[in-house]
Amino acid sequence: MPLIDMQDYSPAARRYWWIVAGLGTVSLLYSLFQVAQFPAAVLGQVLVGSAVATVVGLFPVRIPGAKTSIAGAEIFIFLMMLLYGPYAAVIAAALEGLVGSWRTSKRWTSRIGTPTMASLAMLVCASAFEAARNHLAEVSLTNGALLSSLFAFALLYFVANTMLTSTLIALKTRAPITPMRWLRHFGWIGLAYLTGASIAGLLYVSFQQFGFPILLVTVPLIAMFLSTLHSYFQRMEADARHVEELKESESRFHSAFTHAAIGMALVSADGRFMQANKAFCEMVGRTPADLLAANLNGLVNPDDRGALEAPVERLVKGELASVHMEVRGSHRDGSDVWMALNISLARDWQFRTHNLIVQAQDVSARRRAEAELYHNAYHDDLTQLSNRTHFNECLNRAIARVQRNSEQRFAVMYLDFDRFKMVNDSLGHKAGDELLVHLAQRLKAMLRPTDVLARLGGDEFAILLEDLHRQRDAVDLTERIQKELQKPFKLGAMEVAISASIGITFSTNGYQSSDQIIRDADIAMYKAKSKGKAQYALFDSSLHQHVTAQLELEIELRRALALGQVYLEYQPIYSLADSKLMGFEALVRWNHPVRGVLEPSTFIPIAEETGLIVPLGNWVLSEACRQMKEWNMTEEGASLHMAVNVSSLQLTHPDFLSQVGNALKAAGMRPQQLTLEVTESVLMEGIENAVSTLTALRHIGVTLSIDDFGTGYSSLSYLATLPFDALKVDRSFIDKMSSEGNGSEIVKAIFKLGHALGKQVFAEGIETGAQLALLKELGCKYGQGYLLSSPVGAERAGGVLAGIPHSQAVA
């Protein structure tokens, strides 16, 4: 930001400021040069006088009712002019203007402009005064003539100084200078200058008689005068402000009382109306004359009078500071008006109680809305069923009843509708909301009036069944619900069928809070969902133990990643025709400190559910590529491939492509040596999000393979367009292969499909010689399995790479 900020200055104002500041600077420099020629003694007196004027300028006296103030420095500036001439006065005026502008403004335009303008005005005016005084001295200079000349100078200096400032303001604001506005803003300055000229003239005359010491004596006297004047002005201003505040307060109170939006009334201690505003009259449907003839209690519903009379009586006795309550007032048409009353005492200046101030607000609309608000607070907006808050309260009451009477029983059912997201994604959220409403209506029709049906959020519902005679009743209801849901719902022109996974828990589990019940019912629901669609499950303690164990395993897995307890094994992949080693598949293992080595099936599902699969998968990818870097240094390893399994969360992660690229670069691997395997089920669930990532991987040269092929119900149209190079037949089909069984036909069909699509086909899980022989007959080129080699550590995998036979089964 520049030192001199003129962003709010017009071009004319900028030019004017620079011209005046330049002329003022020249005036000040010229005056300094002239004063420097004074004798040392006189120069010292000039400096002392200028210092005094500067110090006095630091303590201005505020003038009541005006925007200006008197600093008192003008006295010494004018005295300097009378004693030492115009150049000394210029220096004193510049210093006083500098301290004044420095005190009142942070802008450098003011801090520079004010003293330079004062210098210019003082040099011109003081020079004119000096010329007039010299002319009068040639004729006859009396004290009266001197004072008259000094008054004329003060007025001239006032006009010159203020006009310089006013002109700048006018140029900035583009507003013309009017005499009245000029006098209103600067009139007190003119009076201050005349006063200063009078005092300076008297001091000058005294100086002529008594010399310089008289000036030193008068300085404290002038300071006392200014201090006394300051105190007097402050008292005047405080008194005027107090009177004005009283007038304003009375005016505001009268205006507020008369025009207040709420009802206000002045009531005597015995309840008689003395004054009421328009809002109060309209609230109760009466005229001011009607109210003056009425009593406050008479306007209150008889059922509420007793509740009002007692606190008002205590208020009058001084036992209460105010009364706040809501009562029903009687409208002229006979209807009730709910009024929120605020009643306080009105006291006179001697603090004697006279009347009551009654403020009344019509809260009828709020009262009518409270029932609706209560309903909204405890019910779902869409289905109008109970919401989670209301359901929790009902559960807590049910728990309390069971605790009072052990023979009382209840059950809670937690429902989550299968594949509801598909309805939202395919038909839109509006159709999904319509389906939820239909579901709520159908479920409610199946329940007793005492049962509580609630929507907890999304497509999750809960049912509280109280007064159960046996647990089988809840199971029977669950089966009826499942059967009822088999009937399709009509959404516009479409019919939609839907099912529910239902978890059930019972009060016999000894619950203490609603959170425990919903937690266990939710656990049972997820157990039902894991069994497939349209299933239900009953909660028992083993489910809770299982969930707890899974949570502990998650915590331990996070720790295992940090402590390096996770490692890789490598299962060789062979060419079945010539037993040639083609590569390895990296398989993650967890060396648990207590449970020993854990297979991926134990912890991978938890890693996927918690998101740990992303850092775990990235570590597997980097470690597998690092191992390949070592093997690539051998002659046998230069042509091998490394297969790594990839999860759906990794595929959709925005950094996955860079992770693959970094791993390849760090290992110095060719992209063609890396095969990323994606299970068919994962692929089908997130096909839209996966295609772009898979295409990018294929573009850089990475080989892509569908793992567990045959289990995910792939669409043939997807298989024809997806950028995959190979299919790996799921081990479940290999297990069923026999010379007579149908399993061979399924595998054969998969091989034909793969060849037709131009994909390589691998077999995994080869465990018997018969399976191997049949695969060779079907034309399978590549495979892996325990018959060929079990997964081995990196050291033993190096032995396989070196040609040490690991199995004779391939021969």
Side-chain angles (χ1 to χ4, degrees), residues 10 21 52 121 169 190 270 280 326 450 536 609 632 668 674 756 785 796:
S10 66
V52 171
I169 295 174
D270 58 1
F280 197 100
E326 292 185 2
T450 56
Y536 69 88
E609 184 177 345
N632 276 339
L674 177 63
R796 292 185 64 187

Side-chain angles (χ1 to χ4, degrees), residues 664-685:
L664 290 172
K665 183 178 180 181
M669 286 175 58
R670 290 177 289 109
Q672 293 77 10
Q673 288 185 278
L674 177 63
T675 299
L676 297 180
E677 296 187 354
V678 185
T679 61
E680 187 182 12
S681 58
V682 166
L683 188 63
M684 290 304 103
E685 289 175 2

Side-chain angles (χ1 to χ4, degrees), residues 720-768:
T721 56
L722 288 173
F724 279 92
D725 304 282
L727 310 175
K728 184 177 283 190
V729 182
D730 186 67
R731 66 178 64 248
S732 62
F733 295 109
I734 305 299
D735 288 341
K736 297 175 183 177
M737 286 181 62
S738 65
S739 57
E740 296 85 8
N742 293 328
S744 299
E745 295 301 322
I746 296 175
V747 175
K748 184 177 181 180
I750 292 175
F751 274 100
K752 287 183 178 180
L753 175 63
H755 294 152
L757 295 173
K759 315 290 185 185
Q760 293 182 351
V761 181
F762 288 71
E764 63 177 348
I766 304 173
E767 298 183 356
T768 68

Side-chain angles (χ1 to χ4, degrees), residues 306-373:
L308 177 64
E309 289 175 354
V312 169
E313 185 177 348
R314 294 182 61 193
L315 174 67
V316 173
K317 292 180 178 179
E319 298 176 1
L320 294 177
S322 60
V323 174
H324 307 273
M325 64 185 311
E326 292 185 2
V327 297
R328 286 167 292 176
S330 298
H331 195 274
R332 189 183 188 90
D333 61 10
S335 63
D336 285 337
V337 180
W338 276 102
M339 300 185 297
L341 298 181
N342 187 338
I343 307 175
S344 57
L345 295 175
R347 302 176 184 270
D348 61 10
W349 66 277
Q350 292 180 329
F351 293 95
R352 294 177 302 186
T353 302
H354 278 287
N355 306 307
L356 303 176
I357 297 177
V358 180
Q359 301 178 61
Q361 187 171 3
D362 188 348
V363 293
S364 302
R366 174 173 64 79
R367 281 283 185 160
R368 287 192 297 268
E370 279 180 350
E372 183 179 353
L373 292 174

